[in-house]
């Protein structure tokens, strides 16, 4: 059985191609000059440069976190290049027709058509290639509704007040080591603003891709949903196969004002490294949302890629009756290590949170759920329900659960359920006896395990996530 | 249809089957009886190719194919079906998805057009009715929270959908009340056909009142020690297994 499983885990990374385009890449190294360069390249206002420099100086005084259940060699932050842009971006394209065809072909290969297909899908896409936002489609239609969806570098100029008001308001500059680094060197990312009472007419979506070698990607996403508005946002990520590790340290901030709803879905498929654990992305991301009165924030993530993941999309339930949700599928195959979960901080009265975490470990993968639920003294009648399930495939992988529960209000209710199970030989044999090959069987069993989370994804993403899981598990049983 | 010749097989290095031979022709129903540990269920699992069951010598042919050479899923697609004694749960995977995947694996294997979704649903619903399972079972996880009887009927449902050439029923009667037994037997009888054979593994003669066998074989110590018609089952019911075991000893 375990041999059978071992053999199934071998798989190819389908998004592992490199695009041959000319790019302008800063030499590796980090200092104030580099930050000034990035800021100047983006023609940023003085306040933002100062903000970056302040973050950099704070970062210098901080140390890398070492509490996560992952291990990796020290990162040499001076061996990373902090800015890379496709050269054809020098003269920024005015429309899709002017975008480098090679670049567009890359997105095609990734299954992200920027042209007609996504018209049909009705998805507005902002694509971030290495450090620069390449194309934002559907802007006119969104503008009609008053929705702002553009690269954050552009929003800094076109909507400086909004950006300045909210940037860093949810994740403070010095929140943690990687968020401070991101503040200092963030390259680009998406900015979304949904005006009062507006329901965003389409799903918004960003695709991130790291193409250049030895570059880091530090994108920054800021979503502000004004009172009574509603938005669903999707992000997808891929990177080429490379032998060296690459760093991805993003920050995502969500602001849901009174009665607003934000649904944020991620399908993360960064290059996970090869079967021996060489290469792959370090995915150290800070994601947090603040929910005001009656607001609703829902995080859904499907994490199949990256060599190492440390990521805890969180909700600050500040307003009364606000709701936070976290639905997660995290897969660790081969030598992947994932330490992921959430933080639900209940501040307001009658706040509710739901956590559903599905961790899958295969090969020699290590999967840890780390989640904090805190009921502040003022969180009258607040409720949390956590369900944390682990599935093991084979006998060399690991699953761990680190719940942190702090109840400071006697009227609050906190529930935590956890299960650990494995894909059993009996289940596999049942499937095979009915004609399914072992790979298909494992994929089906794992998909069944993840169903509660996939249900939360927008339809087309749910299908994609199912397929991605199937590909990521290829070779998990033989 | 199925030809088993001098089969030896072991589990965890313990030899269970010791020279079993059996010829099954098209359309026949063979009952395999014996006490616990005689190798009845092992025979079913060896035929289906369960990992961990090692054939040490002998041969099994199905329709001129060397069955033992084939992967378990290929044996299934070639028409071999094993109804499990203890059907396992597959949480979150609905019966409908599971059945569809099984049917599609077959049609893909034989390069046939896959059944369209609405046709398939119609067929699945019809079979639900036939085995007296509420159609809501199609939307439930495979065997998830099913009672013993429901699990057995679910196995029958899969068999009816997959239309096997050789169906092995592994103690299908265990844990069934008399009504459920009747439903399962009716289902099996409705599937009896000139080109379909059955191997009915059971402890008790009771099941054979409902599914009438053409032949009855008694397994002792991993070999068939006596074969006869259905009257042999009645004789066992009356006299137990001991006299045969003593004879062998």
């Amino acid at each position: 059985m375990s041999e059978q499983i071992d053999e199934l885990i071998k798989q190819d990374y389908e998004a592992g191609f490199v695009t041959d385009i000319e790019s302008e890449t800063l030499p590796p190294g980090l200092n104030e000059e580099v930050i000034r360069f990035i800021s100047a390249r983006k023609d940023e206002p003085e306040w933002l440069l100062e903000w970056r420099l302040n973050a950099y100086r704070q970062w210098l005084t901080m140390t890398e976190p070492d509490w996560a259940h992952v291990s990796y060699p020290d990162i040499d932050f001076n061996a990373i290049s902090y800015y890379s842009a496709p050269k054809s971006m020098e003269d920024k394209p005015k429309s899709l027709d002017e975008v480098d065809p090679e670049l567009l072909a890359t997105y095609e290969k990734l299954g992200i058509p920027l042209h007609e297909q996504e018209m049909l899908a009705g998805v507005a896409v902002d694509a971030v290639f290495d450090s620069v936002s390449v194309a934002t489609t559907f802007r006119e239609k969104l503008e009609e509704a008053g929705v702002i969806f553009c690269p954050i570098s552009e929003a800094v100029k076109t909507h400086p007040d909004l950006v300045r008001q909210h940037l860093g308001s949810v994740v403070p500059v010095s929140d943690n080591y990687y968020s401070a680094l991101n503040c200092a060197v963030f390259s680009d990312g998406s900015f979304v603003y949904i005006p009062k009472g507006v329901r965003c007419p389409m799903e918004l979506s960003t695709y991130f891709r790291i193409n250049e070698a030895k570059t880091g990607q530090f994108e920054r996403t800021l979503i502000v949903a004004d009172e009574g508005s509603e938005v669903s946002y999707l992000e997808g990520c891929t990177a080429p196969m490379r032998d060296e590790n690459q760093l991805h340290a993003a920050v995502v901030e969500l602001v849901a004002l009174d009665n607003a709803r934000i649904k944020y879905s991620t399908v993360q498929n960064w290059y996970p490294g090869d079967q021996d654990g060489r290469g792959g992305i370090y995915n150290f991301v800070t994601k947090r949302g603040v929910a005001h009165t009656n607001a609703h924030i829902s995080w859904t993530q499907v994490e199949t890629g990256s060599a190492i993941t440390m990521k805890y999309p969180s909700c600050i339930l500040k307003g009364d009756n606000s709701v936070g949700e976290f639905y997660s599928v995290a897969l660790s195959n081969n030598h992947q290590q994932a330490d992921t979960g959430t933080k639900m901080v209940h501040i307001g009265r009658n706040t509710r949170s739901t956590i559903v975490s599905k961790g899958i470990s295969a090969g020699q993968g290590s999967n840890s759920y780390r989640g904090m639920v805190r009921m502040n003294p003022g969180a009258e009648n607040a409720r949390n329900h956590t369900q944390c399930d682990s599935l093991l495939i084979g006998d060399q992988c690991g699953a761990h659960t680190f719940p942190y529960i702090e109840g400071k209000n006697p009227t609050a209710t906190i529930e935590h359920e956890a299960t650990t199970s494995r894909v059993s030989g009996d289940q596999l044999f049942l499937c095979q006896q009915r004609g399914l090959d072992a790979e298909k069987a494992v994929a089906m069993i794992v998909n069944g395990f993840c169903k509660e989370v996939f249900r939360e994804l927008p339809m087309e993403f749910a299908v994609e996530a199912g397929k991605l899981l199937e590909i990521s598990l290829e070779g998990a049983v033989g | 249809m199925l030809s088993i010749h001098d089969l030896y097989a072991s589990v965890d290095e313990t030899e269970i089957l010791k020279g079993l031979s059996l010829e099954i022709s098209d359309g026949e129903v063979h009952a395999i009886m014996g006490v616990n540990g005689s190798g009845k269920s092992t025979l079913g699992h060896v035929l289906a190719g369960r990992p961990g069951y090692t054939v040490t010598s002998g041969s099994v042919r199905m329709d001129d194919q060397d069955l033992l050479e084939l992967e378990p899923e290929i044996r299934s697609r070639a028409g071999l079906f094993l109804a499990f004694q203890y059907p396992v749960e597959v949480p979150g995977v609905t019966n409908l998805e599971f059945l569809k995947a099984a049917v599609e694996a077959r049609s893909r294997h034989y390069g046939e057009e896959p059944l369209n979704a609405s046709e398939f649903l119609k067929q699945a619903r019809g079979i639900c009715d036939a085995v007296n399972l509420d159609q809501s079972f199609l939307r439930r996880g495979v065997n998830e929270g099913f009672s013993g009887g429901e699990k057995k009927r679910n196995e029958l449902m899969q068999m009816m959908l997959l239309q096997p050439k050789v169906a092995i029923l592994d103690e299908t009667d265990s844990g069934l009340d008399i009504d459920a037994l009747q439903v399962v037997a009716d289902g099996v009888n409705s599937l009896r056909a000139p080109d379909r054979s059955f191997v009915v593994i059971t402890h008790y003669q009771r099941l054979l009142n409902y599914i009438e066998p053409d032949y009855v074989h008694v397994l002792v110590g991993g070999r068939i020690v006596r074969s006869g018609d259905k009257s042999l089952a009645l004789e066992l019911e009356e006299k137990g297994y001991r006299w045969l075991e003593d004879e062998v000893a």
Side-chain angles (χ1 to χ4, degrees):
Chain A
M1 167 71 186
S2 89
E3 277 167 45
Q4 197 184 13
I5 281 169
D6 288 345
E7 275 170 39
L8 247 189
I9 310 186
K10 287 147 206 161
Q11 68 121 144
D12 293 325
Y13 181 72
E14 292 204 335
F17 54 88
V18 178
T19 307
D20 188 16
I21 47 174
E22 272 196 278
S23 49
E24 181 196 31
T25 303
L26 263 189
L30 182 56
N31 52 50
E32 294 202 2
E33 281 317 300
V34 167
I35 292 163
R36 287 175 199 282
F37 172 87
I38 295 171
S39 189
R41 208 84 194 92
K42 295 181 169 294
D43 202 14
E44 283 175 353
E46 189 61 25
W47 68 265
L48 191 52
L49 173 62
E50 282 309 317
W51 193 76
R52 286 176 180 277
L53 290 172
N54 170 41
Y56 174 66
R57 288 163 198 150
Q58 295 203 39
W59 177 74
L60 285 177
T61 69
M62 298 168 84
T63 48
E64 275 183 74
D66 59 0
W67 40 261
H69 189 76
V70 295
S71 64
Y72 54 92
D74 288 343
I75 298 173
D76 179 357
F77 290 91
N78 280 315
I80 296 171
S81 165
Y82 291 85
Y83 185 83
S84 171
K87 217 164 200 172
S88 59
M89 298 294 293
E90 293 262 80
D91 319 288
K92 257 204 153 195
K94 304 288 179 290
S95 76
L96 276 182
D97 301 336
E98 295 175 31
V99 172
D100 187 336
E102 279 268 6
L103 208 61
L104 291 180
T106 303
Y107 290 120
E108 292 273 347
K109 252 190 249 181
L110 293 168
I112 318 153
L114 287 163
H115 291 301
E116 291 91 344
Q117 288 103 315
E118 117 272 16
M119 295 268 254
L120 293 171
V123 178
V125 178
D126 186 18
V128 179
F129 197 85
D130 286 329
S131 300
V132 178
S133 190
V134 181
T136 306
T137 57
F138 272 107
R139 284 175 61 172
E140 282 158 34
K141 191 165 174 203
L142 291 168
E143 273 165 21
E144 276 172 36
V147 171
I148 303 166
F149 177 37
C150 66
I152 199 160
S153 56
E154 191 183 314
V156 166
K157 288 171 218 157
T158 54
H159 303 89
D161 296 346
L162 272 176
V163 175
R164 203 168 174 178
Q165 184 187 346
H166 295 289
L167 189 72
S169 70
V170 186
V171 179
V173 167
S174 59
D175 185 79
N176 68 72
Y177 189 78
Y178 292 103
S179 69
L181 178 63
N182 175 286
C183 291
V185 301
F186 78 89
S187 34
D188 214 330
S190 300
F191 174 75
V192 176
Y193 173 78
I194 316 290
K196 271 186 194 169
V198 170
R199 183 176 180 173
C200 187
M202 59 186 71
E203 308 262 0
L204 302 181
S205 165
T206 299
Y207 266 85
F208 295 105
R209 178 155 179 87
I210 302 176
N211 192 56
E212 280 301 302
K214 296 193 172 67
T215 51
Q217 181 146 336
F218 305 92
E219 83 273 355
R220 181 117 200 159
T221 301
L222 175 59
I223 299 177
V224 180
D226 213 328
E227 292 173 15
S229 68
E230 202 174 322
V231 63
S232 170
Y233 186 91
L234 319 168
E235 70 174 359
C237 330
T238 58
M241 292 195 264
R242 297 191 187 284
D243 284 346
E244 75 272 18
N245 296 105
Q246 285 177 287
L247 178 63
H248 172 250
V251 172
V252 176
E253 294 178 287
L254 309 183
V255 179
L257 297 174
D258 294 356
N259 301 303
R261 288 178 80 94
I262 301 178
K263 183 176 175 61
Y264 194 104
S265 312
T266 304
V267 174
Q268 183 264 109
N269 184 29
W270 296 120
Y271 178 51
D274 68 13
Q275 280 173 40
D276 303 317
R278 252 195 318 273
I281 302 290
Y282 292 167
N283 190 36
F284 302 159
V285 171
T286 307
K287 290 182 166 175
R288 193 176 303 154
V290 59
H292 292 261
T293 305
N294 297 324
H296 189 135
I297 291 180
S298 180
W299 297 100
T300 306
Q301 60 171 19
V302 176
E303 304 276 320
T304 61
S306 296
I308 300 174
T309 297
M310 282 197 269
K311 181 183 163 188
Y312 316 91
S314 304
C315 299
I316 311 291
L317 303 173
K318 190 174 170 192
D320 293 349
N321 311 314
S322 57
V323 177
E325 292 171 335
F326 174 73
Y327 298 96
S328 169
V329 166
L331 169 75
S332 311
N333 195 355
N334 296 321
H335 291 267
Q336 282 176 277
Q337 305 171 56
D339 189 301
T340 184
T342 183
K343 283 190 270 187
M344 292 290 175
V345 180
H346 293 250
I347 298 172
R349 287 172 295 169
N350 302 316
T351 45
R352 281 178 288 139
S353 64
T354 303
I355 299 172
V356 178
S357 164
K358 304 279 182 176
I360 302 145
S361 318
Q364 291 157 63
S366 162
N367 207 310
S368 303
Y369 166 80
R370 186 181 304 276
M372 187 190 81
V373 177
R374 180 195 288 159
M375 301 298 182
N376 275 18
E380 291 289 318
N381 297 314
R383 275 182 293 152
N384 161 265
H385 181 80
T386 300
Q387 188 193 328
C388 181
D389 299 325
S390 304
L391 185 69
L392 302 168
I393 305 174
D395 54 10
Q396 292 179 61
C397 54
H400 313 269
T401 305
F402 304 96
Y404 304 78
I405 296 169
E406 297 174 32
K408 291 180 179 156
N409 184 306
T411 64
T413 311
I414 304 172
E415 298 168 343
H416 184 99
E417 280 179 41
T419 66
T420 302
S421 54
R422 60 169 64 245
V423 173
S424 73
D426 285 350
Q427 288 172 329
L428 267 185
F429 184 58
L430 167 66
C431 295
Q432 285 181 284
Q433 212 305 301
R434 299 302 183 250
L436 305 179
D437 55 55
E439 284 194 6
K440 182 85 195 159
V442 169
M444 193 169 73
I445 293 166
V446 172
N447 264 299
F449 173 75
C450 300
K451 189 152 281 178
E452 283 163 277
V453 174
F454 286 174
R455 247 200 314 254
E456 297 298 321
L457 288 170
M459 181 68 110
E460 63 275 23
F461 256 48
V463 173
E464 186 181 320
K467 282 185 190 151
L468 191 56
L469 214 56
E470 188 168 342
I471 293 166
S472 304
L473 278 166
E474 263 170 36
V477 191
Chain B
M1 171 147 303
L2 192 71
S3 171
I4 306 170
H5 181 69
D6 204 20
L7 189 64
Y8 284 78
S10 51
V11 182
D12 293 336
E13 292 177 24
T14 306
E15 196 163 64
I16 310 276
L17 299 184
K18 299 168 184 171
L20 188 147
S21 296
L22 183 60
E23 291 292 329
I24 298 173
S25 301
D26 286 357
E28 292 177 349
V29 176
H30 290 244
I32 309 276
M33 303 185 70
V35 296
N36 279 336
S38 57
K40 303 189 301 291
S41 289
T42 299
L43 174 63
H45 286 127
V46 166
L47 293 177
R50 184 179 193 116
Y53 288 70
T54 314
V55 173
T56 45
S57 74
S59 68
V60 181
R61 301 194 74 78
M62 186 169 88
D63 284 345
D64 295 328
Q65 288 186 90
D66 181 350
L67 195 70
L68 302 177
E69 286 290 300
L70 306 177
E71 292 296 320
E73 62 270 26
I74 308 295
R75 298 185 198 190
S76 164
R77 294 173 202 165
L80 186 84
F81 185 94
L82 173 63
F84 290 93
Q85 183 178 3
Y86 304 110
V88 66
E89 298 189 6
V90 191
V93 177
T94 66
N95 253 333
L96 197 63
E97 287 172 284
F98 181 69
L99 294 170
K100 194 151 181 284
V103 169
E104 277 172 358
R106 258 174 190 62
S107 42
R108 211 171 27 247
H109 186 78
Y110 293 105
E112 294 160 5
E113 281 292 305
L115 208 58
N116 80 46
S118 68
E119 272 302 307
F120 175 76
L121 190 60
K122 217 160 101 186
Q123 201 180 332
R125 284 183 174 152
I127 292 173
C128 256
D129 293 343
V131 300
N132 205 13
L133 273 181
D134 191 89
Q135 291 185 1
S136 65
F137 274 78
L138 291 173
R139 304 274 169 205
R140 288 176 54 181
V142 176
N143 294 320
E144 204 179 346
F146 288 19
S147 71
E150 287 165 348
K151 284 182 182 173
K152 295 296 170 71
R153 277 181 280 164
N154 208 30
E155 293 290 290
L156 181 62
M157 186 157 95
Q158 292 163 25
M159 182 161 82
M160 292 176 99
L161 198 68
L162 296 175
Q163 300 276 319
K165 284 184 192 154
V166 177
I168 305 164
L169 311 181
D170 187 7
E171 305 211 18
T172 294
D173 51 334
S174 70
L176 286 190
D177 60 37
I178 213 80
D179 294 332
L181 188 63
Q182 183 71 56
V183 170
V184 170
D186 287 350
V188 170
N189 288 328
S190 76
L191 281 177
R192 287 183 75 158
D195 58 352
R196 182 172 296 129
S197 320
F198 289 86
V199 177
V200 181
I201 295 170
T202 181
H203 268 299
Y204 303 107
Q205 191 271 335
R206 184 180 72 158
L207 177 66
L208 306 180
N209 290 334
Y210 297 90
I211 303 170
E212 205 173 298
D214 299 303
Y215 300 95
V216 174
H217 310 279
V218 182
L219 222 55
V220 173
R223 285 191 315 123
I224 290 173
V225 295
R226 178 78 48 111
S227 296
D229 60 17
K230 63 184 175 185
S231 64
L232 176 58
L234 292 167
E235 195 178 351
L236 286 167
E237 180 81 353
E238 200 179 308
K239 294 159 75 174
Y241 288 101
R242 181 60 65 83
W243 61 282
L244 276 174
E245 287 171 7
D246 290 346
E247 255 185 46
V248 174

